[in-house]
Amino acid sequence: MKSKGLKVVLLMFLFVVGSLGLIGCSSEQTGTKPQEGQKAAEEKTYVVVTNAEFPPFESTLPSGEIVGFDIDLINAIAKAENMKIKIQHQGWEAMLKAVETGTADIGASGITIRDDRKEKYDFTSPYFGATQLILVPQESNIKSANDLKGKNIGFQSGTTGETAAQNIFGKDYKGLKGYPDLPTAVNDLFTGRIAAVIGDNAVVAEFVKKNPDKKLQLIKDDAFEKEYYGFIVKKGNKELLDKLESGLKKIKEDGTYQKIYNQYFAN
């Protein structure tokens, strides 16, 4: 009886251990870890950085909300591609560095497509055409870029406004004055510290529109070349670049792009 009882107990023990093993295998095969990983990938939030001191492309309302043409456009692209995005304001240089190092995913701030920038970032197709204009007071006798020789000229550092000024007057010209943002340069124009500001056409036109009491005017010069804006991602991030390209194509085809464009630039 003892021997038979011992066999029964042993068989029961082996049965229980085997059952636990099957349960363990079943958990590994049908567990939630892969599903959770897949869900996390699907719910990824892309960080969009901008320099929200560049109206009408991006600016910050008193409430803290970031608005503008670029912002509406990137939101429309995200909606078309079912992407979740989070928009953050950073300075111009900080914005570019964040995308370059991968601490942010997308840069959206009227970024001109240039060969030197292509070495650090991948650009989408162009979404806006621009050129540089000269912003001066109405009473100024400046009629062209040549009239600025010998005078102080302002621009936002690190932008094509700086490049355009350097191309015309030379990098060693002492009258070139770089600023961290365009509004600061325009403030110095108001106070007479500089004679003119060189900046992107839509942006300086916005200053004229928003400050009628300052009596400003814009000067066009053929020395400034045509430029095109694109959104940027970290070099080699083809997956994200393809998403942006796809979304940009969709909103151009369904009329969303034109609707947004008209809201800001119809007049």
Side-chain angles (χ1 to χ4, degrees):
M1 289 294 292
K2 287 183 179 180
S3 176
K4 185 176 180 181
L6 183 61
K7 289 181 179 179
V8 170
V9 171
L10 181 60
L11 288 172
M12 290 179 67
F13 174 78
L14 292 173
F15 175 80
V16 170
V17 171
S19 298
L20 290 173
L22 289 173
I23 292 171
C25 292
S26 176
S27 296
E28 290 179 5
Q29 293 172 0
T30 61
T32 58
K33 287 186 179 180
Q35 293 177 356
E36 289 174 353
Q38 183 179 1
K39 185 178 180 181
E42 291 173 353
E43 294 181 350
K44 174 178 172 59
T45 297
Y46 295 92
V47 177
V48 180
V49 283
T50 187
N51 176 35
E53 299 168 322
F54 200 62
F57 294 92
E58 38 272 324
S59 59
T60 306
L61 297 177
S63 64
E65 181 185 2
I66 301 174
V67 297
F69 177 71
D70 283 346
I71 306 306
D72 287 355
L73 212 56
I74 200 70
N75 275 317
I77 289 171
K79 182 178 180 181
E81 289 299 305
N82 196 29
M83 297 166 57
K84 291 181 66 176
I85 63 172
K86 179 181 180 181
I87 299 171
Q88 297 178 348
H89 162 64
Q90 296 191 18
W92 173 260
E93 296 293 345
M95 171 196 68
L96 295 176
K97 195 67 177 178
V99 176
E100 181 185 354
T101 58
T103 57
D105 299 296
I106 303 166
S109 192
I111 306 170
T112 299
I113 301 171
R114 297 189 335 203
D115 288 341
D116 60 328
R117 289 175 178 165
K118 288 181 179 179
E119 296 176 2
K120 296 181 178 180
Y121 320 100
D122 284 334
F123 280 88
T124 63
S125 300
Y127 66 83
F128 188 86
T131 188
Q132 299 297 305
L133 292 179
I134 303 168
L135 179 68
V136 296
Q138 285 183 2
E139 69 271 14
S140 172
N141 58 4
I142 294 169
K143 302 301 177 185
S144 70
N146 285 333
D147 295 331
L148 291 172
K149 291 179 179 178
K151 301 181 184 299
N152 291 333
I153 307 159
F155 46 77
Q156 183 176 355
S157 298
T159 67
T160 47
E162 178 178 20
T163 304
Q166 289 176 344
N167 288 342
I168 295 173
F169 302 101
K171 292 183 178 181
D172 296 328
Y173 178 67
K174 294 182 179 180
L176 300 183
K177 306 292 182 182
Y179 293 84
D181 53 69
L182 210 58
T184 305
V186 175
N187 283 336
D188 268 9
L189 177 66
F190 291 158
T191 59
R193 291 189 179 94
I194 55 178
V197 171
I198 295 177
D200 291 31
N201 58 324
V203 179
V204 290
E206 185 75 2
F207 280 106
V208 174
K209 177 183 175 183
K210 297 291 186 182
N211 298 278
D213 59 313
K214 300 296 184 180
K215 300 186 183 306
L216 299 168
Q217 64 171 322
L218 297 171
I219 307 297
K220 183 179 179 181
D221 195 299
D222 292 338
F224 300 131
E225 298 178 356
K226 187 76 172 179
E227 304 170 15
Y228 296 93
Y229 296 166
F231 298 115
I232 60 170
V233 301
K234 185 177 181 180
K235 190 73 177 175
N237 193 346
K238 187 176 184 303
E239 180 180 356
L240 179 54
L241 185 67
D242 287 346
K243 282 180 178 289
L244 296 179
E245 287 283 13
S246 174
L248 185 57
K249 181 180 179 182
K250 288 175 183 176
I251 66 171
K252 283 184 175 180
E253 289 177 348
D254 68 12
T256 301
Y257 174 91
Q258 192 62 48
K259 183 178 179 181
I260 296 172
Y261 182 93
N262 291 344
Q263 178 183 344
Y264 290 91
F265 306 113
N267 297 323

